[in-house]
Amino acid sequence: MHLYSGRARTIESVVGVLILLIMIATAVGIYIISRDYNMARFGVSSPQESQGDFTSVGKAETYNNDNLYEKIDGKAPMYQEAGFVKLDTQRFAAKSNSELGFELYIYDMNNAKNAFSVYSRQKRTDATDLNDLGTSAFGYVAGNAICISLGKNYIEMIGSAESNELVDGMKGIAKDLSAKFKPTDKDKIVELGYFPEGTVAGSWKLQIDNAFGFDGLTDAYSATYKIGGKGVSIFFSKRKNADEAKTVAKNYYDFLITNGGKVVTVDSEILKSAGGSVVDFYGAFEIVFPAGVFVGGVHEADNKQAAEKGAEVLIDQLKKVTGEIGG
Amino acid sequence: MADQNQNNLGRRQLLIRGAKAAASIAATVGVARWLYDSKGPGAKEEEAGFLGTLAKGLPDFSVPRKDGQVISIVKGENRAKTVSKAIELLGGIERFIKPGDVVVIKPNVGFATPPILGATTHPDVITAIVKLCYEKKASKVIVTDNSINDPASCFTISGISKAASAAGAEVVMPKDSYFSPLTLEGGSLIKDWPVYCAPFAKANKLIGIAPLKNHHRSAASMTMKNWYGLLGGRRNVFHQDINNIIAELAMLVKPTLVILDGTVTMMTNGPTGGSVSDLKKTNTMIASCDMVAADAFGCSLLNLKPADLPYLAIAEKAGVGTVDYESLKPLRAEVI
Amino acid sequence: MKITTVRRINQLFFFALFVWFCIVATVGNKFWQIRNWPINWILQFDPLVALGTIVSTRKFYGPLHCALGVVILTIIFGRFFCGWICPFGAIHQFVGYIGNRGKKVAEKIRLNIYRKAQCVKYLILVFFLGMAAFPSLASSLQTGLLDPIPLLTRSFQLVLLPIFDRGAYLTSVNARYYEFGWLIFAVFATAVLLNLVIPRFYCRFICPLGAFLGIISRFSIWRIGKTKSECINCKICEKACEGGCEPSGNIKIAECVLCFNCRDDCKHDLIAYQTVPSLAGETQVDVSRRGVVLSFVSGVVAAPAIRLSGKVASNWYTGVVRPPGALAEPEFLKRCLKCGQCMRVCPTNVIQPAGIEGGLEGLWSPILNNRIGSSGCQLNCVACGQVCPTSAIRPITLDEKHGLGEFASAGPIKLGTAFVDQGRCLPWSMDKPCIVCQENCPVSPKAIFTKDVFTTVRDGVVSIKQITGSTIEIERGIPADKFRTGDYYVLFEDGSRCKISSNTATSVGISEGKVPASAGKIEIQVRLQKPCVDIEKCIGCGVCEHECPVSGKRAIRVTAEGETRSKDRRLLL
């Protein structure tokens, strides 16, 4: 039974409420302070190197021909044979969720053809093409990764997870990068325009040398050509002149036969008159022919008829191109 | 009435207490502001020694130069006689010591070895110099060095303690507190490094007395290398760059006079020696106002050329002295 | 609303805040990670932290300015910190309450009487201040051993959190280890369990912070006291007295923690928080001048006595490798509270509470142990300095750590130097190829380089029986398949050498190079890359030591030689 006056009780309550209010204000204040952070002070990242919704993590690293293997180990020779100059890498983490991030690889490949070559040869089969990167730029999304061929640079962004949020963020950065490393006219790979109509866009491959295992076949462009819903792989390589094209075609044919290929009769008249041959190479059909200044052919077709059909279209096309560019 | 008194008393007590509380707060805030340190400690937060930090460098102890009286070379076996003669040739002790001077003598007391091994400054030279100083009414003569081995045994076994005390000098052993971090302007090695400063704080003259020795790292240890004893800390790190540290020490220290005792020269196995067979009688005493010249001459007693000692050239370039001692016209004499 | 209710809410709030700050001390930017939570806030407004560092360094370190507010409020209102804010006090109060719940009122009153021994905490305070007061003798800040906030921080961060987070790993990636955690726990548990003997035992008898606040509350304007000199003397006011300050009689204001329980419990409303002293009179705490002087002098003498070990001088222990940015040892010991924040925040768990290897005074101070944790000191991390409340570890930037930009002339911060123990190193002493340390060195260019040598393996000289192509058949049996790893070579008598690509018990196959025509004997050699440390490049991060496959006593170990924080430990010019 308390006898304190009403006044004393009022003061007690008022003081109590005031203290609680101060306490709440403190809590709110601390929360507000906590939201304004800069992780760079812990050395975790530096904001000036942020990219869109991502901040860089750790240091940027550069690799050259001597130490490229430290970063990509066994894959190094592939880049080095294609004219590799240097590789810059940097990790990034999403600002919203540091668990999500990607590593950016920028390979300087010296020129656009080299870059396109390593790009096209590694292109994933389940890739979705990125078509908004501008002219002479190629790119695709494959699961967690985005790969781009951009002028002399081949760029990979390897995401830490297969997340739509992350891929969308990386797509944004891909666009930024395509603006930053905008390809010039000389980076245009004109040969890609030589493929006949019906070629699957984005299926191009460029092998700088040693194409299909034959070291005499250099700068070979290949692509998938659609015939009746099926695809055959057609290829061509531009030579100095028609004579050289004939020699290379003959050498490639010999290479196939030497390594166990069986000669098959040619059904197509067009192919026959072009001097082409069909070889059964361990169950797959290989076609090779000279056409103008080009060596052309079909690679690893499982249907002879479709292969010859594709060859016919390609012969026609390559002769036309030879006429256009002069040879 | 009683309540009234009670109230007044309470109010007065409150006022007094309030005033004390206010004073406490004011004092707290005052102290806090006075000691406030917003930046926090820097990269080089070090405890200052007992004596605090000595400003920059050591004082300049040198006396005005007199051409033709820079270096003297006296032949003879008797150290007391040769050193007196050598100083006499340079103009006599009165040129160097004035009445009331506080003189520091820096011998080489690096090792706890007897005088016979020649690894340390010979006590006879100390005796002679201390006596000369007191003859000219020096108020105090201090003999000190920062020995490599235990200082007490070095000073005792080398005979220097006894010789100095007998002649009336004060022997000062090194203590941690005698070292202050010091930076040599224009130097690259002596940077914020503990240097044996305290004994020089009140001195106005400095005489270095060095034996002439072969040295494993620096080829020869003479008057310039003698200043190595002023370095504190873990000075052996400087052995990695011995020539530059010797040159920098010569830039740091500006002595009144240096004595190079070549009566007996340690020809091999320096700087410790250990056998009398390392020694050779060369019967030469050098007194010099120019350390570089003294050491350059000293080379000849070790069968070396000045070019064999890179620190001589470095020091000459820094303006410490002259390698070509003959150009200084050394004063020569012989005493029997 | 009753003021005691408000107090309990307040205590709960600050306890929760304290625990929250412990939880979020994890490097990361999620809301439950560190980002900008002021995790040192409670340490920073602990007045004993401020007082201790002021006494030892003669400086009032900026971030501790909050403590000034607590001091001023204490001078005006009394020891509100103990009763309202201190999270350790809240624990004691709670445990004391639980432990004495069922007891009779008379028993409770007896537990809360004022005891003469309550003066001990003042003596502890004076002793610690004495240890810190004279840098010229030896100044060592040891308040953190018993200061409740560092003590509790240490206990939560290094013991309770790792225990309760075991398995869940919310506050760390892997299980955390703290070598002297058991001792920290023992102190904490003892302090808590003593409440079962006497409630708030720690606060009443030990706490040096309470002692300091008690001293400065002497002139407080408002104070608890009786409004009448006489009462029925039921002593019910002492039933729940937290401070043991005797409100029923001559109250000891310095012991009162402003719990207001006496005011609440008095059936006659004779106790108030008022500007006049208790009408029943006040008395001072029974602290003898002699005791104070003796404690202070003991402290002053204790500091240099501890230093007699030489552990802060020439006898420094090489294993005391401090975190990056740590001050030189004497200055470090003037500031380190042993609060454990650096050890908690360290992402790799490499920072550990020391034992007494660095001297008695270094107990629980941070040292690096590369055998514990997920790696050595990370190249791109400066978190420890960022969370140090007293700047014993300076808040450095990455640039300073790496010696870049404006710090280029100073060079990188070295924690120590890695030394190869050639007697334990596989390539140095056992002819086994291994370059793990070199591969893991994070410094660029690498501070570990290798000396490549070819050595004939044990019993490696064998006679050739026959050579067929690239296969050499030999006379004597050798272990099959042992030499095909790419590290082994055949040395022929003409001095040429070929790599071994395969081997059976009686033959070796060569992959590179030509087999000489005439060859009587061959030597099987191993190519060894013997690691060497470039002491100009090595920063002492300890990654090599952590990774060394000689997993017990490592074959490459970092010790403090060459650390940049102290000149006398440098190895190079």
Side-chain angles (χ1 to χ4, degrees):
Chain A
M1 184 61 200
H2 283 285
L3 303 171
Y4 285 125
S5 67
R7 186 163 162 267
R9 275 205 297 274
T10 314
I11 291 173
E12 187 176 347
S13 297
V14 169
V15 169
V17 169
L18 275 179
I19 290 171
L20 292 181
L21 286 178
I22 292 172
M23 200 186 80
I24 291 164
T26 307
V28 172
I30 289 173
Y31 180 67
I32 291 170
I33 288 170
S34 80
R35 282 160 54 95
D36 175 28
Y37 60 89
N38 169 14
M39 293 309 288
R41 83 188 168 99
F42 301 100
V44 177
S45 66
S46 45
Q48 64 270 25
E49 286 174 319
S50 66
Q51 290 266 10
D53 298 329
F54 298 85
T55 46
S56 61
V57 181
K59 281 195 126 168
E61 290 171 339
T62 300
Y63 298 87
N64 54 27
N65 266 303
D66 290 332
N67 61 1
L68 180 64
Y69 71 93
E70 286 180 24
K71 185 70 181 172
I72 60 170
D73 200 359
K75 226 178 189 179
M78 188 193 82
Y79 287 92
Q80 285 166 328
E81 283 159 17
F84 169 83
V85 177
K86 72 175 174 100
L87 163 65
D88 292 298
T89 67
Q90 170 76 63
R91 270 181 226 283
F92 291 90
K95 284 175 184 165
S96 53
N97 175 3
S98 63
E99 299 294 301
L100 281 184
F102 66 91
E103 185 162 17
L104 175 66
Y105 295 73
I106 301 180
Y107 293 90
D108 179 344
M109 295 303 298
N110 195 34
N111 61 50
K113 269 192 185 171
N114 293 345
F116 181 76
S117 172
V118 289
Y119 164 83
S120 63
R121 287 170 62 191
Q122 294 181 80
K123 188 164 180 187
R124 276 63 172 181
T125 47
D126 59 345
T128 315
D129 283 348
L130 288 171
N131 297 317
D132 56 354
L133 298 175
T135 50
S136 305
F138 306 91
Y140 64 85
V141 184
N144 65 322
I146 289 184
C147 302
I148 311 166
S149 172
L150 204 57
K152 65 168 184 165
N153 296 302
Y154 170 58
I155 297 171
E156 285 184 347
M157 283 180 267
I158 309 297
S160 62
E162 216 172 322
S163 134
N164 288 335
E165 188 196 345
L166 179 61
V167 168
D168 287 347
M170 282 160 46
K171 277 182 185 167
I173 289 166
K175 283 203 79 167
D176 295 346
L177 288 169
S178 64
K180 193 174 166 189
F181 299 111
K182 206 171 170 53
T184 56
D185 282 345
K186 74 172 174 57
D187 292 331
K188 190 166 187 223
I189 301 167
V190 289
E191 285 84 347
L192 297 179
Y194 299 167
F195 281 107
E197 260 186 54
T199 305
V200 179
S203 68
W204 306 297
K205 275 190 174 49
L206 166 59
Q207 306 209 50
I208 300 285
D209 55 26
N210 210 11
F212 312 135
F214 172 52
D215 59 11
L217 193 57
T218 54
D219 282 327
Y221 292 84
S222 55
T224 306
Y225 181 75
K226 284 264 186 215
I227 298 166
K230 283 190 174 175
V232 289
S233 174
I234 57 173
F235 72 89
F236 65 78
S237 164
K238 185 170 165 280
R239 314 309 310 179
K240 281 199 206 87
N241 50 48
D243 285 342
E244 203 204 307
K246 282 191 183 110
T247 314
V248 172
K250 172 81 171 61
N251 290 345
Y252 180 51
Y253 170 79
D254 289 341
F255 165 77
L256 289 173
I257 299 300
T258 313
N259 285 283
K262 301 266 184 308
V263 186
V264 182
T265 49
V266 182
D267 294 322
S268 160
E269 286 304 321
I270 298 173
L271 185 56
K272 218 183 268 176
S273 64
S277 340
V278 182
V279 176
D280 177 351
F281 201 72
Y282 300 104
F285 296 100
E286 300 283 350
I287 297 178
V288 59
F289 53 80
V293 293
F294 294 94
V295 179
V298 174
H299 179 56
E300 285 186 348
D302 39 21
N303 181 310
K304 180 162 171 277
Q305 217 178 341
E308 290 195 358
K309 184 80 180 67
E312 282 176 12
V313 176
L314 187 59
I315 290 165
D316 192 25
Q317 171 73 5
L318 291 176
K319 283 189 171 154
K320 212 167 80 193
V321 173
T322 305
E324 277 167 19
I325 60 175
Chain B
M1 195 61 193
D3 264 9
Q4 189 72 34
N5 275 344
Q6 194 74 41
N7 266 347
N8 283 342
L9 188 67
R11 200 165 298 144
R12 236 185 62 213
Q13 275 182 341
L14 175 64
L15 282 174
I16 292 168
R17 222 173 52 231
K20 285 178 176 170
S24 311
I25 293 172
T28 310
V29 173
V31 169
R33 283 193 59 167
W34 175 42
L35 298 174
Y36 193 71
D37 169 32
S38 61
K39 287 203 298 285
K44 291 243 166 73
E45 198 82 358
E46 286 275 337
E47 209 165 291
F50 268 106
L51 299 168
T53 304
L54 208 79
K56 271 184 186 162
L58 290 165
D60 184 349
F61 297 105
S62 63
V63 291
R65 186 184 167 98
K66 281 187 193 167
D67 281 342
Q69 286 188 316
V70 179
I71 179 168
S72 60
I73 300 162
V74 177
K75 291 273 174 191
E77 275 187 45
N78 185 318
R79 288 185 172 89
K81 285 183 184 170
T82 50
V83 76
S84 301
K85 184 70 184 169
I87 289 173
E88 192 191 312
L89 289 174
L90 292 183
I93 191 69
E94 55 268 32
R95 179 183 164 199
F96 303 104
I97 306 297
K98 301 277 180 274
D101 275 354
V102 175
V103 186
V104 173
I105 291 175
K106 161 66 176 85
N108 183 333
V109 201
F111 304 99
T113 51
I116 178 184
L117 291 181
T120 50
T121 298
H122 200 279
D124 288 356
V125 192
I126 308 270
T127 308
I129 300 283
V130 173
K131 279 185 177 165
L132 282 173
C133 291
Y134 279 124
E135 267 173 32
K136 286 297 156 213
K137 301 272 185 293
S139 67
K140 195 180 193 183
V141 181
I142 295 167
V143 176
T144 191
D145 189 18
N146 176 26
S147 308
I148 299 169
N149 300 153
D150 170 49
S153 40
C154 288
F155 273 87
T156 307
I157 296 172
S158 66
I160 288 172
S161 211
K162 196 176 159 200
S165 305
E170 182 187 344
V171 174
V172 174
M173 309 273 181
K175 292 181 183 172
D176 283 353
S177 57
Y178 290 174
F179 293 85
S180 307
L182 214 149
T183 301
L184 173 66
E185 248 174 84
S188 62
L189 301 177
I190 305 177
K191 273 187 177 162
D192 210 15
W193 189 268
V195 171
Y196 194 47
C197 287
F200 304 103
K202 285 181 182 149
N204 48 0
K205 293 290 155 59
L206 169 63
I207 299 173
I209 309 176
L212 217 173
K213 301 194 287 180
N214 159 276
H215 192 275
H216 174 68
R217 286 290 297 156
S218 63
S221 169
M222 295 179 279
T223 64
M224 285 164 70
K225 171 70 174 60
N226 187 29
W227 305 123
Y228 205 82
L230 300 187
L231 291 171
R234 290 188 47 256
R235 57 186 174 187
N236 51 346
V237 299
F238 291 120
H239 275 143
Q240 296 163 38
D241 194 357
I242 193 77
N243 284 300
N244 277 310
I245 190 65
I246 293 175
E248 286 198 8
L249 281 164
M251 288 157 72
L252 181 75
V253 187
K254 298 181 181 71
T256 316
L257 180 70
V258 291
I259 308 286
L260 180 60
D261 180 0
T263 310
V264 168
T265 299
M266 184 185 290
M267 303 299 288
T268 50
N269 294 318
T272 49
S275 162
V276 286
S277 62
D278 291 323
L279 307 177
K280 179 184 164 190
K281 281 196 174 179
T282 45
N283 293 335
T284 312
M285 184 68 73
I286 302 106
S288 177
C289 303
D290 182 330
M291 299 181 259
V292 180
D295 287 7
F297 172 77
C299 288
S300 62
L301 300 180
L302 283 164
N303 301 328
L304 294 171
K305 294 183 294 298
D308 295 331
L309 305 184
Y311 60 80
L312 291 176
I314 302 170
E316 182 177 49
K317 211 175 157 199
V320 178
T322 316
V323 174
D324 181 8
Y325 58 91
E326 288 295 352
S327 72
L328 300 171
K329 301 193 175 64
L331 302 157
R332 294 175 196 262
E334 185 163 1
V335 289
I336 304 142
Chain C
M1 189 183 296
K2 285 209 295 194
I3 200 78
T4 45
T5 312
V6 176
R7 189 199 77 229
R8 284 184 196 114
I9 295 172
N10 219 60
Q11 284 179 290
L12 198 62
F13 170 71
F14 277 100
F15 180 73
L17 195 63
F18 174 83
V19 174
W20 180 248
F21 286 158
C22 288
I23 290 171
V24 300
T26 312
V27 174
N29 58 2
K30 300 210 179 61
F31 82 94
W32 51 269
Q33 292 175 327
I34 198 160
R35 25 201 235 176
N36 202 28
W37 290 106
I39 60 160
N40 283 326
W41 205 46
I42 297 175
L43 279 164
Q44 280 161 351
F45 64 59
D46 174 350
L48 188 55
V49 170
L51 178 71
T53 50
I54 284 174
V55 168
S56 62
T57 65
R58 310 282 195 269
K59 280 179 189 149
F60 181 34
Y61 180 51
L64 303 176
H65 64 263
C66 321
L68 195 58
V70 174
V71 168
I72 291 169
L73 291 176
T74 305
I75 291 173
I76 298 170
F77 296 108
R79 278 172 68 179
F80 73 100
F81 185 89
C82 305
W84 289 65
I85 291 178
C86 181
F88 205 22
I91 293 176
H92 293 311
Q93 185 176 317
F94 182 70
V95 175
Y97 165 74
I98 296 287
N100 298 295
R101 234 176 346 176
K103 289 185 177 150
K104 292 197 180 98
V105 173
E107 173 74 2
K108 286 183 182 173
I109 291 169
R110 200 189 57 75
L111 283 173
N112 289 328
I113 57 165
Y114 168 73
R115 294 172 175 83
K116 272 196 158 184
Q118 282 170 242
C119 73
V120 170
K121 63 176 174 291
Y122 298 93
L123 303 180
I124 291 173
L125 171 71
V126 168
F127 177 83
F128 281 149
L129 295 183
M131 281 189 82
F134 295 101
S136 50
L137 289 173
S139 167
S140 180
L141 183 65
Q142 297 298 320
T143 52
L145 290 174
L146 294 177
D147 185 346
I149 307 299
L151 189 157
L152 191 64
T153 308
R154 181 168 65 228
S155 306
F156 266 75
Q157 299 287 44
L158 307 190
V159 182
L160 300 182
L161 222 57
I163 289 175
F164 289 113
D165 196 23
R166 196 159 276 262
Y169 303 139
L170 291 172
T171 58
S172 60
V173 179
N174 300 311
R176 303 290 275 197
Y177 296 93
Y178 294 104
E179 193 172 358
F180 281 87
W182 62 271
L183 187 56
I184 294 166
F185 182 63
V187 171
F188 173 77
T190 307
V192 170
L193 291 176
L194 281 171
N195 290 298
L196 304 180
V197 181
I198 293 173
R200 282 223 189 218
F201 183 98
Y202 192 87
C203 311
R204 292 181 196 177
F205 301 104
I206 297 167
C207 183
L209 172 60
F212 175 55
L213 295 173
I215 292 167
I216 62 171
S217 65
R218 180 170 180 159
F219 306 124
S220 64
I221 310 288
W222 281 277
R223 36 187 63 209
I224 294 286
K226 284 163 80 171
T227 53
K228 279 186 182 157
S229 57
E230 297 297 324
C231 68
I232 62 163
N233 213 11
C234 66
K235 296 212 171 185
I236 206 81
C237 54
E238 291 179 18
K239 182 186 71 158
C241 176
E242 292 291 336
C245 56
E246 205 182 351
S248 66
N250 291 335
I251 188 170
K252 281 86 187 155
I253 288 298
E255 295 295 302
C256 172
V257 297
L258 294 188
C259 67
F260 291 98
N261 286 343
C262 52
R263 181 177 176 276
D264 223 30
D265 286 338
C266 181
K267 298 283 185 288
H268 304 97
D269 288 347
L270 290 178
I271 292 181
Y273 187 51
Q274 56 195 8
T275 55
V276 289
S278 173
L279 280 255
E282 292 179 356
T283 50
Q284 299 294 330
V285 181
D286 214 355
V287 192
S288 71
R289 181 162 300 180
R290 226 171 54 160
V292 170
V293 172
L294 199 63
S295 299
F296 187 72
V297 172
S298 305
V300 170
V301 175
I306 292 169
R307 294 268 165 105
L308 289 178
S309 65
K311 295 287 189 191
V312 187
S314 57
N315 188 32
W316 59 277
Y317 178 61
T318 56
V320 179
V321 178
R322 299 280 188 205
L327 302 181
E329 195 68 5
E331 287 300 316
F332 181 85
L333 292 171
K334 283 184 195 171
R335 287 177 182 262
C336 179
L337 297 172
K338 313 149 189 297
C339 65
Q341 294 285 55
C342 52
M343 309 168 202
R344 166 68 175 85
V345 83
C346 177
T348 62
N349 195 196
V350 71
I351 308 180
Q352 292 288 315
I356 58 169
E357 60 268 50
L360 197 57
E361 57 198 311
L363 180 69
W364 297 332
S365 63
I367 58 169
L368 271 60
N369 181 342
N370 295 311
R371 290 186 62 194
I372 293 184
S374 54
S375 186
C377 176
Q378 295 302 286
L379 199 61
N380 288 313
C381 175
V382 288
C384 47
Q386 294 293 329
V387 300
C388 181
T390 58
S391 201
I393 307 171
R394 291 182 301 115
I396 54 170
T397 59
L398 275 186
D399 269 3
E400 183 169 1
K401 190 177 183 189
H402 299 155
L404 301 172
E406 58 177 309
F407 302 98
S409 63
I413 289 179
K414 296 179 181 223
L415 311 181
T417 306
F419 290 84
V420 178
D421 187 339
Q422 295 188 353
R424 300 180 69 83
C425 178
L426 299 178
W428 275 106
S429 72
M430 295 161 194
D431 288 354
K432 289 279 174 274
C434 172
I435 50 163
V436 171
C437 55
Q438 192 267 354
E439 285 174 328
N440 282 285
C441 178
V443 182
S444 178
K446 285 183 188 294
I448 299 177
F449 59 97
T450 57
K451 283 185 182 162
D452 295 7
V453 292
F454 289 91
T455 309
T456 304
V457 301
R458 190 178 181 195
D459 299 332
V461 184
V462 286
S463 304
I464 298 175
K465 199 190 245 173
Q466 191 188 339
I467 298 178
T468 348
S470 60
T471 305
I472 305 164
E473 284 177 48
I474 51 175
E475 295 284 356
R476 191 160 46 73
I478 53 171
D481 294 340
K482 185 184 171 186
F483 303 116
R484 58 176 190 181
T485 58
D487 299 304
Y488 294 91
Y489 290 76
V490 167
L491 176 69
F492 296 100
E493 283 184 337
D494 67 351
S496 64
R497 203 178 265 126
C498 296
K499 190 186 267 187
I500 298 174
S501 59
S502 62
N503 86 283
T504 65
T506 53
S507 75
V508 290
I510 304 301
S511 65
E512 290 166 18
K514 280 207 171 81
V515 180
S518 68
K521 276 187 177 167
I522 56 167
E523 290 181 29
I524 297 174
Q525 294 199 314
V526 60
R527 177 167 167 264
L528 297 170
Q529 292 168 284
K530 298 181 172 179
C532 299
V533 176
D534 181 341
I535 55 175
E536 292 188 34
K537 299 278 184 302
C538 180
I539 56 169
C541 68
V543 171
C544 53
E545 181 178 350
H546 183 270
E547 303 297 336
C548 178
V550 184
S551 59
K553 183 182 182 186
R554 303 290 206 267
I556 185 165
R557 299 186 296 276
V558 171
T559 48
E561 290 91 349
E563 58 176 6
T564 37
R565 71 189 182 109
S566 43
K567 280 189 303 227
D568 55 342
R569 297 178 194 179
R570 69 182 181 179
L571 284 167
L572 286 170
L573 291 176

